[in-house]
Amino acid sequence: MRLLDLFSGAGGCARGYAAAGFQVFGVDTNSARLRHYPYPHHRGDALEYAAAHGREFDVIHASPPCQLYSVSHNAHTKRHPDLLPQTRALLRDIGRPYVIENVPGSPMPDAMVLCGTMFNLTATDLDGVTVYLRRHRLFESSEFLWPPNVCLCIAFRNLGYRCAGVYGNGSETPDDAHARQGGYTPRPTVQRVLMGLDLPRDHLNQAIPPAYTKYIGEQLLDLLGVAA
Ligand SMILES: C[S@@+](CC[C@H](N)C(=O)[O-])C[C@H]1O[C@@H](n2cnc3c(N)ncnc32)[C@H](O)[C@@H]1O
Ligand SMILES: [Zn+2]
């Protein structure tokens, strides 16, 4: 089964879909991200590529840029185009099973939320304390997808466990906006373990933990009648 990975970045989603059993092909405009993408890919506009070639694939995943909706978007000075409605319209038109991923706050009313605590994504922090990944992402699909578990972030926080996010602008200092919201950002070495991704920080903070898309990919293969 071939999966077209639009707005593929450095391949967080791709690694999960590949682990589920898909042959993955990525499209992104950013050559620095694509240097870390471990599968065949094309550098160029995702929607143009999908319009021309989308029907050659069995499944299409899209992660359109999300800065417009993310809670820290006020910290961004550049204006980002809103590609989400265009992406959805195109994928519906192509007619292949699709998944669209985005951040909480984006207009995806029927989406499923996934979180690191659902997949037991943990790491040992530098002081020896266990830390859990708090990373909420929305997944909308043409298919009926369901989460593996409930989000345990609030329960864990109330129990005094350490829950951490992976944020930042690529520097080695914690992101101020996240810290002001009571968030906690561990050192990059710990973030890599939490995410299950060995990427430089400015690519890591844009990525999806492969555990999420491995789970979705296995569910899709099951729904499409293919043994994972
Ligand atoms: C949130 S990141 C994707 C992260 C990826 N899904 C992962 O898990 O690693 C969004 C990506 O969209 C890319 N991008 C932005 N506009 C694009 C366009 N018009 N066509 C293709 N890629 C684009 C950016 O370079 C960035 O890598
Ligand atoms: Zn959570």
Side-chain angles (χ1 to χ4, degrees), residues 12-206:
C13 288
R15 286 168 171 85
Y17 284 123
F22 282 97
Q23 272 182 39
V24 179
F25 185 90
V27 184
D28 202 287
T29 45
N30 185 326
S31 51
R33 292 213 201 291
L34 287 172
R35 266 198 286 282
H36 297 275
Y37 194 82
Y39 310 104
H41 54 266
H42 165 77
R43 185 163 73 83
D45 183 77
L47 299 184
E48 274 176 25
Y49 189 90
H53 299 285
R55 289 177 183 83
E56 297 162 22
F57 291 82
D58 300 295
V59 173
I60 306 179
H61 171 99
S63 291
C66 57
Q67 284 90 344
L68 193 67
Y69 304 116
S70 68
V71 285
S72 58
H73 79 274
N74 289 330
H76 295 260
T77 48
K78 279 188 269 170
R79 275 194 66 75
H80 293 275
D82 182 2
L83 292 176
L84 178 58
Q86 260 179 280
T87 302
R88 183 188 285 126
L90 179 62
L91 296 186
R92 284 185 177 162
D93 186 50
I94 291 171
R96 291 282 184 262
Y98 68 79
V99 177
I100 303 174
E101 173 274 320
N102 227 286
V103 290
S106 54
M108 293 168 55
D110 302 322
M112 147 178 99
V113 183
L114 294 183
C115 167
T117 62
M118 297 175 179
F119 298 93
N120 200 30
L121 295 181
T122 64
T124 305
D125 211 340
L126 301 185
D127 56 3
V129 176
T130 299
V131 52
Y132 293 84
L133 178 65
R134 179 184 195 280
R135 192 163 180 84
H136 296 159
R137 287 295 181 272
L138 305 183
F139 292 87
E140 170 185 314
S141 179
S142 56
E143 312 306 305
F144 179 68
L145 300 178
W146 62 95
N149 207 332
V150 292
C151 158
L152 294 169
C153 287
I154 293 174
F156 281 179
R157 202 177 53 206
N158 290 341
L159 288 166
Y161 296 162
R162 202 178 277 182
C163 291
V166 172
Y167 296 86
N169 54 12
S171 73
E172 295 286 304
T173 55
D175 181 72
D176 290 342
H178 177 53
R180 276 198 302 276
Q181 290 152 24
Y184 153 77
T185 306
R187 304 308 296 169
T189 47
V190 179
Q191 294 184 21
R192 290 185 188 105
V193 178
L194 284 169
M195 294 279 285
L197 275 173
D198 191 11
L199 288 174
R201 189 172 170 191
D202 54 341
H203 299 305
L204 189 71
N205 65 31
Q206 294 294 311

Side-chain angles (χ1 to χ4, degrees), residues 17 19-22 213-223 226 228:
Y17 284 123
F22 282 97
T213 43
K214 177 173 185 290
Y215 172 80
I216 290 175
E218 285 170 352
Q219 216 174 90
L220 285 171
L221 288 172
D222 205 24
L223 287 167
V226 182

